[in-house]
Amino acid sequence: MDENTPLIIASSTSKTASFAINPTDNNQNYNNNNDDQRIPLFLFLEAQTPFGLLYESFTIFLILLSILTFILSTLFLPQYNTDSPIANSCSKVCDAIWFGNYPDNALSGLGIGATSICEIVIVAIFSVDYLLRFYTADLIDGGKKYGGWWGRVKFVFSFFSLVDLASIVPFYVDSFVLKDVDLASSNFLRMFRFLRMMKVEGRYDLALGMVDDVFYSMRGVLGTALFVGITVWGVLSSFFYLAERRNPSMIYCGAAPSRCFKGQDDIDTSLCIMDDWGVVDCTNAGCPNGDDGKEVCWNLYRSIVDSSFWTLMELFGEFPLVDQHSAGGKVLGTFTAVFAVAVFALPVGIFGSGFEDQIARRREAKRAAMDTLNVGEGDNDVNDTGSHEVGEN
């Protein structure tokens, strides 16, 4: 027996089961209608047929092509790439075929703003794909989930349906609603093209499904690790607050008004005063608070809540204020680095153990499936032999 990778194992044993309709399952009622003419279309869209597999590969190619052309299009914008030697090398015909940066390219006669042939073809195919999936949505789970008009509404608001809509609807908005606005104003809509990568994830969600299984099976241990991590974070934040709440080097004046910098390049925070509540007054440093009493400078560690942000940065391995820490803060930062390695490495080991368990389970499931298949073939051989002997007698 050849050994396959776990994902190939899962793909070979559970892909058909992941969809509502299995053409080899005699118990499947195809939404109570074995003669439903939409079943071949549904199986095609879900890559359950040879041509469906080819179509799936084709759509993935289109997604990658769309993302690639969008990324490369930013190289051919002279207003944003003033020093680039290739910024002006894409002609109007080139822009009309691939990028669609400018409304006056070779497709300007269409009157739909800045677009390209590549984008029009891709959006057209994905639009038809979405309509067909909407049309066959009630075949999923035998109509239990998306059957009837209310089921179709639920389908529209399902996750991957929203991903599909978010990847095609902005094209129509950009081409027909905002076609007369400039590129900078509508460029945020073009960013939604990146959501098409989620369509790839929707076709190849096997790996993510394995992550879900690992997370669910290890949820108790992960919850314990999360509790430990939050506890360590809170305790260290409290210690940092106690160590730095009176440290004048932690006073931040970056947002102080310009009047505070007259005759000086920087504010001498050592002249500032902090009260018991952490309120900072830098009048002695030439930067008094406003008439409304609002601070123009403040201590980054004036409360445990403020301290928790910088503590979290240090637990992640970043030490942005290391030069400003007091001696006690630097010692505490050393212990924080040790705790970060010990505590925040726990989820890595937990997930590693979970993946090993899932791989073992999938291999066991494959062996069980193969054993069942072999037993079934053996029974058929026995029946065939018996029938042959009876025939001879």
Side-chain angles (χ1 to χ4, degrees), residues 40 46 170 180 230 289 317:
E46 298 295 349
D180 295 325
I230 292 177
N289 293 334

Side-chain angles (χ1 to χ4, degrees), residues 220-243:
V221 183
L222 287 172
T224 302
L226 178 63
F227 174 78
V228 172
I230 292 177
T231 302
V232 171
W233 180 25
V235 171
L236 290 176
S237 298
S238 301
F239 281 128
F240 268 114
Y241 164 71
L242 295 175

